[in-house]
Each structure stands twice: as structure tokens, then as C-alpha cells.
Amino acid sequence: MADIVRPMQAMDIDRVYELERTCFRTPWSRQSLKDELTNSIAHYLVFERDKRVIAYAGMWIIYDEAHITNVAVDPDFRRQGIAKRVMLCMMRTARLFDATQMTLEVRENNFGAQALYAQLDFEKAGVRKGYYTDTGEAAYIMWNSDIGLTLSKSNVSIG
């Protein structure tokens, strides 16, 4: 198996959009994903296995903060450590752009994602009630206040 994590490109939009529709109740539009390629604060990575995109993640970097916008893994490839690897790559990318901390929102009932983020030193810092309009579900706001420290503790291969 050849695994590669690389920046998202225009040629990836259709597959990333397919992952959006598979993984989320309210997916981003194809145009929104395409627009992120020219958004100066946006940084997106895709995870390829054998030349097929099976996961991706995006973030916006504003000053020293990285805000995760999307994380998706093809359901056929979940529970293999791919999301963790992608998140560590996002942290490494964020550090390249001088971000020191990272934040995200996660559904209150997405216990698997919450456990992953806790492994990556994210802590719950607040709640956005009714954040997810499709279900009325709340979002937990989670922060990692030192992504450099998380990366230094990681023994997961990132390259």
C-alpha cells in the first residue's frame, strides 16, 4: 500500500465532494470546496492510498490559530488511524504557517471523534448550542493550546 498525504488540488475536488456527501448530513458544496483552493487562509490536505483519495481535512489559519473546518475519512477505511495521521499532518502544516494552537467544533454525539481529539491533546472549552442545523445538535468547541508539544510527543509516522 502506498499512502501519501499531500495538499489538495483542483483534480481532487470531485472525490473530496464525494467524501463530503458520504460523511456529512450537510456537506459543503463542490463550489465551496473549489473556492477553498484560492482562499489565502485555507489549507487542505488529502490522504491517498494507492492513488485514491480516501480522506481529507481542511483548516483556516488566522494569526497563531488554526481552525479545523473539515475532517472526513471514507467509511470503508475508518478505524485504521488515518484520521489521526491526517490531523497530525494538519498540525505540522499549521506550525509551518506559525500557528501554535488549533481549534475545532465536534458534534456532541460524535464520541469517536471526541476520543480522537482527546488523544491529540484537545480539550473541551465550550459549547455551541444548536450549532448543527440539520439535527439541532450542539457542538463542543475543543482547543489544543500547544500543537508543537503534541507533535513532539507523537510517534505516528506523518510523511
Side-chain angles (χ1 to χ4, degrees), residues 8-77:
M8 184 172 78
Q9 302 169 18
M11 68 181 187
D12 300 314
I13 295 298
D14 287 342
R15 175 62 180 144
V16 168
Y17 179 61
E18 185 181 325
L19 286 172
E20 272 285 307
R21 290 191 354 226
T22 301
C23 297
F24 302 117
R25 288 184 187 107
T26 53
W28 283 31
S29 70
R30 180 182 276 109
Q31 187 61 48
S32 293
L33 293 165
K34 188 176 177 184
D35 290 347
E36 290 294 83
L37 292 174
T38 57
N39 177 348
S40 64
I41 64 169
H43 303 272
Y44 280 71
L45 298 176
V46 296
F47 182 101
E48 279 187 357
R49 175 162 289 161
D50 298 326
K51 299 184 181 179
R52 178 166 170 78
V53 173
I54 60 170
Y56 86 98
M59 69 182 156
W60 295 337
I61 298 176
I62 303 167
Y63 302 110
D64 66 340
E65 297 176 3
H67 183 120
I68 296 293
T69 56
N70 319 59
V71 179
V73 178
D74 184 311
D76 293 338
F77 295 92

Side-chain angles (χ1 to χ4, degrees), residues 69-117:
T69 56
N70 319 59
V71 179
V73 178
D74 184 311
D76 293 338
F77 295 92
R78 291 184 182 161
R79 303 244 177 247
Q80 297 179 24
I82 293 168
K84 183 174 185 178
R85 188 165 164 201
V86 169
M87 283 296 295
L88 288 165
C89 289
M90 294 299 282
M91 289 179 182
R92 176 181 274 178
T93 300
R95 288 295 303 127
L96 291 173
F97 290 90
D98 297 323
T100 58
Q101 52 192 332
M102 184 173 273
T103 187
L104 53 82
E105 290 92 8
V106 61
R107 286 180 186 265
E108 64 183 322
N109 293 317
N110 190 342
F111 304 113
Q114 290 173 40
L116 167 66
Y117 301 140

Side-chain angles (χ1 to χ4, degrees), residues 84 88 91 102 114-124 142-154:
K84 183 174 185 178
L88 288 165
M91 289 179 182
M102 184 173 273
Q114 290 173 40
L116 167 66
Y117 301 140
Q119 286 177 23
L120 294 170
D121 303 324
F122 283 84
E123 297 178 353
K124 291 178 187 170
M142 299 186 78
W143 279 92
N144 177 319
S145 60
D146 190 343
I147 56 179
L149 179 61
T150 300
L151 286 168
S152 71
K153 295 188 306 185
S154 171

